[in-house]
Amino acid sequence: MKLTGAQALIKSLEHEAVEVMFGLPGGAILPVYDPLIDSSIRHILVRHEQGAGHMAEGYAHATGRPGVAMVTSGPAATNIVTPLCDAYMDSIPIVVITGQVPYANIGTDAFQECDTVGITMPVTKHNWLVTDAQDIPRIVREAFHVATTGRPGPVLVDVPKDIANQQMDWYWPDGVDMPGYKPTTKGHAKQIKDAARLMSQSRRPVIYAGGGILKARAAEVLRELVELTGFPVVTTLMARGSFPDDHELCLGMPGMHGNYTAVTSMQQADLLVALGSRFDDRVTGKVGAFAPEAKIIHVDIDPAELGKVRQPDVPIVGDCRQVIEELVKAVLADKAKHSGDDTQWPSLAEWQTRLRDWQRDFPLVYDQQPDGPLKPQFCVDQLRDHTPDDTIVVAGVGQHQMWTSQRWKFNHPYTFVNSGGLGTMGFAVPAAIGAKVGMPDRMVWAVDGDGCFQMTAQELVTASSERIPVKIAILNNAYLGMVRQWQELFYEERYSEVYLSPDLPDYVMWAEAMGCVGIRVDSPEEVEPAIDKANDIDDRPVVIDFRTDYREKVYPMVPAGHSNDEIILDPAHDTYGER
Amino acid sequence: MSNLGDIQHHIYSITVENKFGVLSRVAGLFARRGFNIVSLAVSPTEDERFSRMTIVVDAASAPLEQVTKQLHKLIPVIKVMELHPDDAVERELMLVTVKAESETRSQITELASIFEARIEDVGFESITIQAAGRPDKLDAMTDLLTPFGIVELQRTGRIALPKLSRRPQRLRAVKTRGV
């Protein structure tokens, strides 16, 4: 069967079971948009290419399936670089298709030409420039394979316009043949046995669960391991929800804005079982002072993560789910072998009691006076308490993101979507749209900051026109809040270029102009009714403008580059003082 | 001229797919991870589907294990070998143009013959020599030529293969990976 390259591309996407793609057409990609009319694939027309990329990410976060975005050449390609980098940092599987000027014109500075493959090389797991239409099915197959296997990540396929118009003989490859790409998924048996051995001798263990748990669909087996061992768990920003927050062994988020117990448990641990986590600087603080007494078991599918920051005592390369399954077996065998020996698998009651004492003594605190200014933490708590348990929560980047991660109770995997590694402001609105498209039956709430919202809000036009009823809660403190917090704490309150104004823009009018329902909330008693009203609206997006107290800061906090032992608690904790 | 032999370095012999853009991926990886390349040589191998890159890296800037692991993450990279200088046959080619007045010309040609180098071009005031050999040999020759006045010098960067085992080994059937 003869097809054009463009037809082959769309057909290949259909063969990859793509149901929806996010994009915006333009000159170089025009040939590919033509056969799209006849395709079963739903296309969502974004208002900015960055939105298409973040929507694909949100879709992938929520569903576990690769998100697909398609845009044209030049400025469209450069606009999608940010989502590519975001997905690269957070290991999100997305497939981006870009148009390119005709192959013969490449290198001539043609209209809307840019070196897309060159620009995106450092921010993709792999990318391809198609030079022959006959290669399209093979490349699409490879692209999806690379994006979704091993350590997932973004890929890009650049399609010159004349290649899209070229004739080819249709085929669909049986599989992929990539000699240089063979991810290891099965952990080394001896290493797993050694890990179990090390675990048996620990008295102050902590499981350090990272985003890899979610990528590997390993939440269930993680729970099995925890209940078998009694080891407490910290869940990183990328792993929130991978272990239920309402479980008594869940300590919550560690790191720069982690809670006291999560941070300090790692500092005082004698063993860290790092599962799909990468010792990010926001978790470790000053690396040399991080968890000084802890031995390390490090499980990751990417061998380059093992020893990159901290040398593990037991490194295990493999898929988290497969390795944890084997680890559970190894622990059971080890326990059986050493039953009756008190030095092996000792009771962790003392350690668990110490952790519970910290949780009691160092809770997250804030003070909402009934007639006082509206506290952002109060808004997050109210949202948490008045939405379904399985609500998908999407955050932007900054104070609101930290409050959301700290205060929400994530009891299910794939309920928290946010930008961790790259810290992309403006992520929330488009990512929420992508998540809702992927999970239409679930309620999707974005908690956003006013600064973030202004970066990508126009995608709510997309949401309105496509009838994607996401809900946005803006914690509007009229500032670039996290920057303000750093200026207050570390730059002698010299507030340089952080004021945004609460009223400019008028968020309610802006929301209404974009086809959403806009609601303003000024005082604590208005919070719950506004949330209830928003929850009842299911035919269009809703935006709530929560006017929050600009003085509120995110605590606890470990200042950048400091040891996690120097954690600063909320000043309301002054009965305990700084440790 | 710095003495390459004194620098603590790693030699990587990397087999890659022989496709456009692969050099850019490898070089880009070194650049963005802050690994300092000392020299680099690329050419197709006996199997034209693959190329071999010989990259010498400054060891101080590049932790061996991270370089190897990061290289493995690149999809067109098939195989990465780290060659210890003691276990590798290394060769490099140098072209050097030296000032050669009538009174010094014979000294230079004598020097060239000691180093088994060839005179490639002769002018009124200078002479171009081609020398091949181990990098330290080229360093030594350069040092000796410097007093005469080096006009131009170009080295290829080293190529290397692992030394062969001296111990007798049982012959094994070797299966080539089906690529």
Side-chain angles (χ1 to χ4, degrees), chain A residues 447-487:
Chain A
V447 180
D448 214 0
D450 46 325
C452 279
F453 184 79
Q454 290 190 49
M455 289 196 176
T456 51
Q458 79 278 2
E459 294 310 336
L460 286 172
V461 179
T462 307
S464 292
S465 58
E466 296 274 348
R467 298 275 165 199
I468 305 164
V470 291
K471 304 175 200 309
I472 318 291
I474 307 172
L475 302 182
N476 175 9
N477 63 359
Y479 275 96
L480 296 167
M482 190 58 96
V483 184
R484 185 189 191 280
Q485 173 166 344
W486 283 52
Q487 290 178 345

Side-chain angles (χ1 to χ4, degrees), chain A residues 154-226:
Chain A
V155 297
L156 179 140
V157 181
D158 199 23
V159 187
K161 190 172 186 179
D162 53 343
I163 304 292
N165 287 325
Q166 201 180 51
Q167 293 283 311
M168 56 84 70
D169 291 307
W170 170 255
Y171 63 100
W172 183 243
D174 293 335
V176 294
D177 177 19
M178 305 182 79
Y181 182 68
K182 299 253 178 348
T184 308
T185 53
K186 197 173 177 310
H188 192 282
K190 184 186 166 293
Q191 299 290 88
I192 290 171
K193 211 171 150 193
D194 287 353
R197 217 60 289 285
L198 207 54
M199 288 165 77
S200 76
Q201 289 147 8
S202 169
R203 273 142 178 89
R204 299 187 312 280
V206 174
I207 291 176
Y208 162 26
I213 298 284
L214 293 171
K215 307 299 182 316
R217 321 303 280 184
E220 255 176 70
V221 63
L222 169 64
R223 188 167 177 150
E224 214 178 303
L225 180 70
V226 174

Side-chain angles (χ1 to χ4, degrees), chain A residues 12-242:
Chain A
S12 300
L13 295 176
E14 288 168 353
H15 271 74
E16 286 290 347
V18 174
E19 289 169 353
V20 60
M21 59 203 286
F22 307 91
L24 195 145
I29 198 74
L30 264 169
V32 188
Y33 268 83
D34 185 73
L36 187 61
I37 293 186
D38 306 317
S39 169
S40 60
I41 298 171
R42 177 184 181 194
H43 181 273
I44 289 171
L45 176 62
V46 300
R47 266 49 179 180
H48 186 287
E49 292 88 354
Q50 185 190 356
H54 291 321
M55 285 177 205
E57 285 188 272
Y59 177 90
H61 261 284
T63 64
R65 297 195 298 274
V68 182
M70 182 159 79
V71 300
T72 192
S73 62
T78 56
N79 278 344
I80 212 160
V81 169
T82 300
L84 283 169
C85 192
D86 190 272
Y88 191 61
M89 293 286 268
D90 287 344
S91 309
I92 309 301
I94 62 169
V95 177
V96 172
I97 292 153
T98 46
Q100 181 56 277
V101 300
Y103 194 66
N105 294 0
I106 287 180
T108 66
D109 304 320
F111 177 64
Q112 291 193 333
E113 179 185 357
C114 80
D115 176 11
T116 305
V117 167
I119 288 172
T120 59
M121 214 174 261
V123 295
T124 52
K125 196 171 159 186
H126 194 57
N127 58 16
W128 291 259
L129 173 65
V130 184
T131 56
D132 183 345
Q134 200 59 38
D135 294 338
I136 286 175
R138 173 181 62 78
I139 288 176
V140 171
R141 187 93 210 245
E142 288 179 357
F144 278 80
H145 179 69
V146 170
T148 54
T149 54
R151 180 180 184 167
V155 297
L156 179 140
V157 181
D158 199 23
V159 187
K161 190 172 186 179
D162 53 343
I163 304 292
N165 287 325
Q166 201 180 51
Q167 293 283 311
M168 56 84 70
D169 291 307
W170 170 255
Y171 63 100
W172 183 243
D174 293 335
V176 294
D177 177 19
M178 305 182 79
Y181 182 68
K182 299 253 178 348
T184 308
T185 53
K186 197 173 177 310
H188 192 282
K190 184 186 166 293
Q191 299 290 88
I192 290 171
K193 211 171 150 193
D194 287 353
R197 217 60 289 285
L198 207 54
M199 288 165 77
S200 76
Q201 289 147 8
S202 169
R203 273 142 178 89
R204 299 187 312 280
V206 174
I207 291 176
Y208 162 26
I213 298 284
L214 293 171
K215 307 299 182 316
R217 321 303 280 184
E220 255 176 70
V221 63
L222 169 64
R223 188 167 177 150
E224 214 178 303
L225 180 70
V226 174
E227 286 174 354
L228 177 64
T229 57
F231 285 15
V233 184
V234 298
T235 49
T236 68
L237 185 67
M238 296 315 296
R240 303 286 291 125
S242 66

